[in-house]
Amino acid sequence: MMVAVLVVAIALLVVGALSLRVLKEYERGVVFRLGRLREPLEPGVRLVVPGLNKLVRVDLRVVTLTIPPQEVITKDNVPARVNAVVLFRVVDPVQSVMKVENHAVATSQIAQTTLRSVVGRADLDTLLAHRTDLNEDLARSIAAQTEPWGVQVDVVEIKDVEIPEAMQRAMAREAEAERERRAKVISARGELQASAELRDAARTLSESPASLQLRYLQTLLELGADHNSTVVFPLPIDVIGPFLEAFRRGATAAVNGTGPMSNDAERTHDAERTHDGQES
């Protein structure tokens, strides 16, 4: 009897020792007793009888999942390699065990499929310039499929986009042409604004001749400050204007035959005809 009691006591101690389970603060325990689901276990020391109960530990921490590069074709028929990262965590331990065999593998496969599908609906410009919208679309699509499993998707970010080298050169040429176009537009706008300012300045100077003379003197002062050997004397238009006008009128009269030059020519011609008559 003593030996039997001792054996039973030792057996109970061994079973008790094997039945003790320690769950960490970030873990939850899903217990099946003879195949039937029991209430999930909270962190701490818990008693799980081996052979009678089966314990499945579920980690509630955020899991970082890297999606391997996926070969995709964008909406505008450009091949690209896209990879991404997914951050998810388990919010319902029971559903993560009951609804799916391995929630991490299932989330990874769903993320890869969704990445190819979403990127295939966008063009290359959207993929490169509006990545935030694609990230939000990816997060919504993945979360809608993992929510029944008790898995919550927090963040989905596209990490890198690789495009063919020929396409990169074409995009570089396009960007260079766009920069040249903007430079020409800015230069043209500057010329337009400068011409408008010059027009206003000329109008102001024409209303005040004294200001024009002051402008001439200021120009001479600026030229003299450079110590150049060339001296420029600006001549006002109102000074040489009468001379130009007289010269223009004389040239017009000469062409029409009414000016002094035409009268002298007629007198010379009459004298030559009189001399010829006397000789005859």
Side-chain angles (χ1 to χ4, degrees), residues 58-235:
V58 180
D59 197 328
L60 302 184
R61 292 177 295 180
V62 176
V63 179
T64 302
L65 175 63
T66 300
I67 303 177
Q70 303 294 312
E71 298 284 348
V72 298
I73 298 179
T74 60
K75 186 178 180 180
D76 48 354
N77 297 325
V78 177
R81 288 172 56 88
V82 183
N83 60 351
V85 60
V86 180
L87 301 181
F88 68 92
R89 58 191 177 92
V90 176
V91 294
D92 191 340
V94 175
Q95 297 298 325
S96 67
V97 175
M98 296 293 295
K99 296 294 184 179
V100 63
E101 180 181 3
N102 189 325
H103 65 272
V105 175
T107 303
S108 175
Q109 296 298 319
I110 287 295
Q112 295 179 31
T113 305
T114 307
L115 177 63
R116 289 194 296 267
S117 176
V118 171
V119 173
R121 295 196 301 266
D123 54 13
L124 184 60
D125 292 338
T126 304
L127 182 59
L128 296 177
H130 303 281
R131 194 172 296 181
T132 303
D133 298 336
L134 290 179
N135 293 336
E136 294 177 357
D137 193 5
L138 280 171
R140 287 194 300 268
S141 300
I142 298 174
Q145 301 179 69
T146 60
E147 185 177 1
W149 306 338
V151 176
Q152 177 179 333
V153 177
D154 295 330
V155 178
V156 179
E157 290 287 342
I158 297 177
K159 294 174 58 178
D160 190 19
V161 179
E162 299 180 5
I163 58 178
E165 186 176 355
M167 182 60 63
Q168 295 180 12
R169 291 195 297 267
M171 294 174 62
R173 291 194 300 269
E174 180 183 359
E176 184 178 0
E178 178 65 18
R179 287 193 296 268
E180 291 180 356
R181 183 190 67 83
R182 292 180 181 178
K184 291 180 180 179
V185 170
I186 293 174
S187 178
R189 290 178 180 174
E191 292 291 339
L192 178 61
Q193 294 176 2
S195 62
E197 295 295 334
L198 288 175
R199 180 191 60 191
D200 295 340
R203 185 178 302 169
T204 303
L205 291 175
S206 64
E207 295 175 355
S208 177
S211 61
L212 184 60
Q213 296 293 336
L214 292 176
R215 183 59 181 170
Y216 288 153
L217 294 177
Q218 184 180 0
T219 304
L220 285 176
L221 181 61
E222 293 176 356
L223 291 173
D226 295 337
H227 303 287
N228 294 328
S229 59
T230 303
V231 180
V232 179
F233 292 98
L235 193 61

Side-chain angles (χ1 to χ4, degrees), residues 233-248:
F233 292 98
L235 193 61
I237 299 299
D238 55 355
V239 174
I240 65 174
F243 297 99
L244 294 176
E245 185 65 26
F247 178 77
R248 190 180 298 108

Side-chain angles (χ1 to χ4, degrees), residues 12-23:
L12 291 176
L13 290 176
V14 172
V15 171
L18 295 177
S19 301
L20 294 179
R21 297 290 186 271
V22 178
L23 296 178

